[in-house]
Each structure stands twice: as C-alpha cells, then as structure tokens.
Amino acid sequence: DAGVTQSPTHLIKTRGQHVTLRCSPISGHKSVSWYQQVLGQGPQFIFQYYEKEERGRGNFPDRFSARQFPNYSSELNVNALLLGDSALYLCASSLAGDLGYTFGSGTRLTVV
Amino acid sequence: TQLLEQSPQFLSIQEGENLTVYCNSSSVFSSLQWYRQEPGEGPVLLVTVVTGGEVKKLKRLTFQFGDARKDSSLHITAAQPGDTGLYLCAGQETSGSRLTFGEGTQLTVNP
C-alpha cells in the first residue's frame, strides 16, 4: 500500500509569492493534518481536516489556509510568503489520532 | 496550547551504552506517541502509549507513560549505530485535533 504522498518534494519561491502544497493520505484514512518543521525543532501543528471539515487550527496567520477534497486528499496554501516560512511541511494521515499518525516525506519550501 | 519538554536535546554515545530520553508536560494527553525521524524524511511512528503507567517494549526500546499521563520516557538498551536519528515525543491533545511535539532528541551512536 502506498504511504502518505506529498508533492512537490522541494520548492523555491520568492518573498510575496503564493504556494500550494499537496497531500494524498493512506487509503481509508479520513483525517489529514499539516505540520511545519523548522530546522532543529519539532513539527508545529498547522491544521487538521476530517471528512472535509476543519477540526483544528494551530497558531499560524491567516496567510495559511487548507482544504480537504472528497477523496480525502488535501492542499495547504500559503499566501504572501515570508523568509520565515522556509521549512519542511509535513502531511500526516490517521484512522484515529490515538492510534498514531503516518507522515509523508514532506515538502521542503525555501523562500528567498 | 499544551507544551512538551524533551530532554536531552543532543546525545552522543558509544555503541553498547544505554540511554534514556525524557518527555515532560504539565498537561494531560490522551496518548503519548514516539517517532523517529531521519534527515529529509517525515517522522516514523515507533509506539503509542495510551494508559497511565503503561510500559511497552519494542526490541531494545522501552517506552513508559507516566501514571498521570503527563510524561513519558524512552529507554534504549545497548544502543547501535543504526539507532542514530532524531527522536520525537508527541502528545495527542484530549480535544483530538492535534499532536504537540517536543523539540526532539538528536541521538548519535558512535561505533
């Protein structure tokens, strides 16, 4: 079975631009979460979606938005990129949170 | 926002030594999860502990969840170079919507 797949794997953007990151969860997983991981730190929660509805939002500005599609795949959008948005963006899917999460390999975003 | 403090931040040991990583919080979590992350990859789930006082063993790794479900520890016996990596603890908040991660422990096991 395919794991959580994320695209693209790497991305370089200029300050002020917009970016869309994509995630496909494990088949059968209806929950998708997004995390930001800055070098040297643990991942920080951005969003969780379940059955296409937002179930949780972390402490991130409104420039960050996301959505989940009927096939449970998800997009993370970031507007007006800042240098500080440079990070590894991780997507995770789960059947139930307490059973643990399966993470994708992430998208490495560099803002210059 | 619930916080998890993980220690130590860095650990460099010789092959064959034992080590313990600690994860502490003032908040209660519905579960505590341990992940291992390699460079350029996402975290990989090692174990989930749910019940206060629970102990789980995974070969040379022993995981413990505190009685009050606020803290956890990871003990590795006879560490091997293949154990090298970033170990992350993460608490599942009781609301069910998010994982709160610790800062991670970068473990290096030298041959």
Side-chain angles (χ1 to χ4, degrees):
Chain A
D1 286 340
V4 176
T5 57
Q6 292 188 243
S7 63
T9 55
H10 296 82
L11 203 52
I12 298 176
K13 289 285 190 178
T14 305
R15 278 180 299 175
Q17 285 189 314
H18 161 90
V19 69
T20 298
L21 310 181
R22 294 178 175 82
C23 171
S24 292
I26 287 177
S27 178
H29 286 191
K30 299 179 180 180
S31 171
V32 170
S33 302
W34 288 94
Y35 290 81
Q36 180 197 66
Q37 187 176 23
V38 175
L39 196 62
Q41 296 183 16
Q44 297 292 315
F45 174 78
I46 309 176
F47 286 109
Q48 186 189 61
Y49 277 78
Y50 181 79
E51 289 277 17
K52 297 172 286 181
E53 291 193 1
E54 182 182 304
R55 289 297 181 91
R57 183 186 181 109
N59 188 25
F60 281 80
D62 292 343
R63 300 184 295 108
F64 288 77
S65 64
R67 55 180 176 169
Q68 187 177 31
F69 299 99
N71 66 353
Y72 303 113
S73 67
S74 178
E75 284 183 354
L76 175 69
N77 295 283
V78 187
N79 293 322
L81 285 167
L82 304 174
L83 295 179
D85 294 331
S86 295
L88 180 67
Y89 288 84
L90 295 162
C91 174
S93 74
S94 68
L95 273 174
D98 283 341
L99 296 179
Y101 293 78
T102 302
F103 282 82
S105 295
T107 294
R108 172 68 64 185
L109 172 65
T110 302
V111 182
V112 297
Chain B
T1 302
Q2 297 173 286
L3 297 176
L4 269 174
E5 294 185 356
Q6 193 172 339
S7 63
Q9 188 176 0
F10 298 96
L11 196 52
S12 181
I13 61 173
Q14 294 300 121
E15 182 176 1
E17 293 183 356
N18 301 332
L19 66 115
T20 302
V21 178
Y22 299 94
C23 189
N24 297 294
S25 174
S26 58
S27 304
V28 175
F29 293 99
S30 63
S31 71
L32 216 298
Q33 302 170 19
W34 286 90
Y35 293 82
R36 179 179 159 192
Q37 187 176 22
E38 301 286 348
E41 298 293 327
V44 175
L45 179 68
L46 296 174
V47 78
T48 300
V49 284
V50 179
T51 306
E54 183 176 4
V55 177
K56 280 191 175 178
K57 292 191 175 183
L58 188 66
K59 297 183 180 178
R60 293 176 293 101
L61 279 60
T62 301
F63 304 86
Q64 189 163 6
F65 200 12
D67 291 340
R69 290 162 53 212
K70 295 181 179 180
D71 53 84
S72 182
S73 63
L74 158 61
H75 182 79
I76 300 179
T77 302
Q80 299 176 0
D83 295 327
T84 293
L86 179 67
Y87 289 82
L88 294 159
C89 67
Q92 175 71 55
E93 295 189 1
T94 52
S95 66
S97 68
R98 72 179 71 186
L99 276 181
T100 297
F101 280 87
E103 293 295 302
T105 295
Q106 182 61 54
L107 172 65
T108 302
V109 182
N110 302 298

